[in-house]
Amino acid sequence: QKEVEQDPGPLSVPEGAIVSLNCTYSNSAFQYFMWYRQYSRKGPELLMYTYSSGNKEDGRFTAQVDKSSKYISLFIRDSQPSDSATYLCAMSGPSNTGGFKTIFGAGTRLFVKA
Amino acid sequence: DSGVTQTPKHLITATGQRVTLRCSPRSGDLSVYWYQQSLDQGLQFLIQYYNGEERAKGNILERFSAQQFPDLHSELNLSSLELGDSALYFCASSVVAGTDTQYFGPGTRLTVL
């Protein structure tokens, strides 16, 4: 079983739709949860960063973390064609060798149709 | 622009060869991470350095090695290259290590023929 599971999609929605992207994980030691956006195989860019459970909102983006269910979500409101990209979830926690490790999901490809 | 630079942008080489990828972190960042992204494997963590010392290791092959220099730039060395090593290689940096935001560079696209 992978430590982080993310549906690769693709997910196609009309412009203006609310998009829901999700990841599940198995390692209860994960403490920090991130969402990255990656355009056309360019470097991933950080969208949202949350610590522990709860919600965080930034403009049209809302990140939710439910540690009891080991489930995180990213919601995009009023989606735009420019939101078309691959969205990667990522999680950080203590590693077996000391320090912290970050594990990325496989990424979900999102297409927003005009 | 994240402030992380990587060179070269593209690299084409043959099987069995050795290449070096270079990364300069954002100003002030002490930690550097290397990732491999291929079409069928997603983004795979390879290795992390913090202020010159190895901090964490992921799925890095023995044919691969890395180091971080006193000026904090990092190099990833890939040797005895195989066709399956063709991928995008990303470097990321953060201020400290592990728990804070990682900023990614534009990547180096490696093609092994």
Side-chain angles (χ1 to χ4, degrees):
Chain A
Q1 181 189 9
K2 290 183 179 180
E3 284 190 276
V4 177
E5 297 278 359
Q6 183 177 12
D7 187 339
L11 178 62
S12 183
V13 301
E15 183 176 359
I18 296 175
V19 176
S20 173
L21 304 168
N22 312 293
C23 287
T24 59
Y25 63 96
S26 58
N27 188 344
S28 58
F30 286 140
Q31 300 172 348
Y32 301 87
F33 304 89
M34 291 76 72
W35 285 94
Y36 285 82
R37 178 174 61 195
Q38 186 176 25
Y39 290 115
S40 302
R41 309 292 281 175
K42 297 194 182 297
E45 58 176 320
L46 182 73
L47 280 178
M48 302 289 283
Y49 178 91
T50 54
Y51 171 70
S52 195
S53 286
N55 293 359
K56 185 174 183 179
E57 188 173 321
D58 184 1
R60 296 185 295 112
F61 299 91
T62 300
Q64 287 185 353
V65 175
D66 182 348
K67 290 191 74 177
S68 63
S69 301
K70 297 189 180 67
Y71 188 87
I72 70 170
S73 300
L74 176 71
F75 297 96
I76 307 174
R77 290 183 299 279
D78 188 25
S79 56
Q80 302 295 310
S82 59
D83 294 328
S84 297
T86 297
Y87 290 80
L88 302 120
C89 63
M91 309 169 188
S92 291
S95 76
N96 294 335
T97 57
F100 274 72
K101 66 178 180 181
T102 300
I103 306 295
F104 282 80
T108 299
R109 293 181 65 194
L110 172 67
F111 296 96
V112 181
K113 299 171 292 185
Chain B
D1 185 357
S2 67
V4 178
T5 61
Q6 289 187 248
T7 56
K9 287 185 179 179
H10 301 280
L11 199 50
I12 301 175
T13 187
T15 55
Q17 296 298 305
R18 173 189 171 94
V19 298
T20 297
L21 313 183
R22 183 188 169 102
C23 168
S24 292
R26 293 187 321 153
S27 176
D29 284 0
L30 299 178
S31 200
V32 169
Y33 311 76
W34 285 99
Y35 292 89
Q36 179 192 58
Q37 187 176 46
S38 53
L39 283 173
D40 59 346
Q41 292 290 326
L43 198 63
Q44 299 290 317
F45 168 66
L46 295 178
I47 197 164
Q48 177 203 353
Y49 280 83
Y50 175 71
N51 204 19
E53 294 191 2
E54 183 182 305
R55 178 60 65 96
K57 229 172 186 177
N59 302 319
I60 188 167
L61 299 173
E62 287 195 10
R63 300 184 286 111
F64 297 180
S65 64
Q67 55 183 327
Q68 186 180 26
F69 294 87
D71 67 353
L72 301 178
H73 91 271
S74 178
E75 293 181 355
L76 179 67
N77 300 296
L78 314 176
S79 61
S80 302
L81 286 167
E82 302 175 358
L83 295 177
D85 297 327
S86 296
L88 270 168
Y89 290 85
F90 289 107
C91 167
S93 73
S94 66
V95 176
V96 285
T99 64
D100 58 329
T101 302
Q102 295 181 31
Y103 294 88
F104 282 78
T108 293
R109 184 178 295 277
L110 173 67
T111 301
V112 182
L113 300 176

